Amino acid sequence: MRPLLCCLGLAALLGPCLACPSVCSCSTKKNGRLLAECAYKDLQEVPKGLSSNVSILTLSANRISWLGQGSFAEVPEVQSLWLGYNQIGVVETGAFSLLVHLKNLDLSHNKIVDFPWQDLRNLSGLQILKMNNNRLAGLPWDAFRSLKDLRSLWLNDNELTTLAEGTFDNLPSLSQLQIFNNPFNCSCKVFWLKKWTENTSVSITKGGSTLCVAPSRLKGRPVTDIPDHYCVAPSVQLTYLSNLDNTVMYDGLTLTLHCSVAGSPLPEIRWKIQTSSRRVEISGPTVARDGNVKQSQERFLVFKNGTMAIPNFRKEDEGIYTCLAVNDVGMRDVSVNVALAGSENPAEDLLRDDPQASHLGGQSCYKGDEMDPSGAGEKLVIVYHMPRESKSRAGGAVPQVHLGILLLALGITLYC
């Protein structure tokens, strides 16, 4: 009787460890890992009743179409999960986030369009990720940033038209990448990929099949053959204009800055203004061709040609004025720090503000790859001199302020 009780007790202890759904075949490998083989079983969902200590789960070649948040709750110890050749089209957020021991994940040959990329943040031990032959049309730039041990990444045969710069950064262990057979639009948004492939030690399998589908002039050419002259990073020059011919003259002082940009494609011009009381960001012109001004930005007049004018410039308008040039290759910016001073003798104020200042009628600063921005951040002082005869009239009133003398004070030549 005692041996029988011992056997029953032992079976009770081992039973949960050897639990296996009837459609699967479970066995223990030589290394002690528990394998649950459930491939080619015509399954429509992840089977229930799996042992909690399953480390290898094979569900390939079934008819599974959906993965829910709790689909793998029974196998938190799984290290290898094979789900290739199913019909998976929906993956709920959280489906993989608790599988912190996962090293191999195969989701190839499915119908995945949207994937919960945030689930990968907990899978820092993942070494192989196969997502090839799906319907992925885009990836977040930081989709893989937590996968420090990832060695092999398969993204080929999807519907990727572009990849954000930095997609493969922070993958120190990556040695194999497959991105061929995707319909890449070889605009300058993927120019970084060409540069990255030229400098990386990662093996890009079938790199010659990583072809452009658009634009038409590059159709059929490898992504690595995008001509350098098609994509040139922006350069930007910021110039102070003391006067503009044939423009409306406003009462008081009008500050006018002109931003000149170059690059391919032609960069978009944006402005950032930081004063003591506010921060303003302007994308695109605020003055239409017919002269109408957008009400939300009526204080700052931005024209299509890159010129910005601030009529009736006042003390509260002092601050940092930044012009940004942005295209698909990158961004450059240049800034000037604008201050306002007023005096009957502007030369005295000028020297008091900066003993080394030079009297300049205008100045520009430039930022590009070939320039040394050693003078960036020098102070630009605008001194406004109000003529004595306009100071007061009958009764001391000052009904109108006329444009006075503008001087620029620069400690050194500005290169921004």
Side-chain angles (χ1 to χ4, degrees):
M1 187 67 180
R2 184 173 296 175
L4 179 59
L5 291 175
C6 291
C7 291
L8 290 174
L10 183 60
L13 291 172
L14 294 177
C17 297
L18 299 176
C20 187
S22 59
V23 295
C24 301
S25 175
C26 301
S27 61
T28 303
K29 308 293 285 184
K30 291 182 178 180
N31 56 12
R33 294 179 182 175
L34 184 61
L35 166 66
E37 177 63 65
C38 310
Y40 296 95
K41 302 298 183 181
D42 207 31
L43 297 174
Q44 297 186 31
E45 61 181 13
V46 178
K48 302 298 182 183
L50 290 163
S51 296
S52 60
N53 60 344
V54 165
S55 56
I56 305 172
L57 176 56
T58 303
L59 289 163
S60 304
N62 282 291
R63 294 195 297 123
I64 300 171
S65 61
W66 169 85
L67 297 176
Q69 187 173 5
S71 292
F72 304 105
E74 293 183 340
V75 288
E77 306 281 331
V78 70
Q79 297 181 24
S80 297
L81 181 55
W82 310 109
L83 288 157
Y85 292 93
N86 275 280
Q87 300 175 17
I88 300 169
V90 176
V91 183
E92 289 187 354
T93 300
F96 301 104
S97 60
L98 299 180
L99 305 182
V100 296
H101 302 286
L102 203 59
K103 294 183 178 179
N104 307 301
L105 176 58
D106 180 9
L107 287 163
S108 63
H109 295 272
N110 279 288
K111 301 178 181 179
I112 300 172
V113 176
D114 296 312
F115 184 80
W117 301 105
Q118 59 269 34
D119 278 18
L120 299 182
R121 296 173 185 171
N122 293 336
L123 311 185
S124 58
L126 198 64
Q127 298 177 7
I128 297 175
L129 177 59
K130 294 184 177 182
M131 303 194 73
N132 53 293
N133 294 88
N134 275 283
R135 299 175 182 176
L136 299 172
L139 304 171
W141 70 270
D142 59 348
F144 312 115
R145 66 177 179 179
S146 63
L147 306 182
K148 304 300 183 183
D149 293 335
L150 190 67
R151 300 197 310 259
S152 182
L153 177 59
W154 299 35
L155 294 169
N156 55 285
D157 293 276
N158 274 283
E159 298 178 7
L160 300 172
T161 59
T162 188
L163 288 170
E165 185 170 1
T167 298
F168 306 122
D169 290 352
N170 303 313
L171 296 176
S173 302
L174 190 65
S175 59
Q176 181 190 30
L177 174 65
Q178 298 192 7
I179 55 174
F180 59 89
N181 290 347
N182 278 289
F184 283 113
N185 180 347
C186 293
S187 69
C188 293
K189 290 182 179 180
V190 298
F191 187 67
W192 71 271
L193 185 59
K194 171 187 175 176
K195 296 298 183 183
W196 182 80
T197 57
E198 291 173 349
N199 296 293
T200 186
S201 60
V202 176
S203 174
I204 303 175
T205 310
K206 291 188 178 181
S209 298
T210 308
L211 305 178
C212 304
V213 171
S216 57
R217 66 179 182 271
L218 295 176
K219 186 175 182 179
R221 295 179 62 172
V223 172
T224 53
D225 283 354
I226 300 175
D228 288 351
H229 68 271
Y230 281 5
C231 304
V232 180
S235 60
V236 56
Q237 183 179 12
L238 187 58
T239 307
Y240 167 80
L241 302 178
S242 60
N243 194 10
L244 286 177
D245 296 332
N246 302 320
T247 58
V248 178
M249 295 300 294
Y250 298 90
D251 291 342
L253 171 64
T254 298
L255 172 67
T256 307
L257 300 172
H258 181 72
C259 187
S260 301
V261 300
S264 181
L266 186 65
E268 172 192 350
I269 296 176
R270 303 174 187 172
W271 291 91
K272 288 185 178 181
I273 301 136
Q274 177 69 63
T275 69
S276 59
S277 61
R278 60 178 168 172
R279 181 182 181 89
V280 179
E281 296 188 9
I282 304 173
S283 296
T286 63
V287 181
R289 289 184 178 182
D290 59 6
N292 290 328
V293 180
K294 296 179 182 179
Q295 294 300 315
S296 59
Q297 300 295 351
E298 59 183 6
R299 186 76 187 92
F300 304 100
L301 306 179
V302 177
F303 299 86
K304 188 175 181 179
N305 68 350
T307 296
M308 178 169 63
I310 303 97
N312 196 24
F313 190 85
R314 301 184 292 264
K315 196 74 176 174
E316 54 265 35
D317 296 322
E318 291 182 329
I320 299 173
Y321 287 72
T322 302
C323 173
L324 300 93
V326 183
N327 69 7
D328 291 340
V329 187
M331 183 194 76
R332 295 288 187 276
D333 65 83
V334 60
S335 301
V336 287
N337 194 340
V338 183
L340 179 66
S343 169
E344 294 183 11
N345 190 340
E348 291 180 0
D349 269 3
L350 195 62
L351 294 175
R352 188 182 304 116
D353 286 335
D354 187 346
Q356 297 181 351
S358 58
H359 293 207
L360 302 176
Q363 184 66 354
S364 66
C365 47
Y366 179 87
K367 190 165 188 178
D369 291 337
E370 69 276 18
M371 300 300 291
D372 176 16
S374 56
E378 289 298 313
K379 187 176 183 181
L380 171 61
V381 180
I382 298 178
V383 180
Y384 176 63
H385 174 225
M386 192 183 344
R388 292 183 179 181
E389 58 269 22
S390 65
K391 279 187 177 181
S392 61
R393 296 185 181 181
V398 183
Q400 184 177 16
V401 180
H402 299 283
L403 188 62
I405 301 170
L406 298 179
L407 295 175
L408 297 181
L410 296 173
I412 61 176
T413 302
L414 266 177
Y415 293 101
C416 307

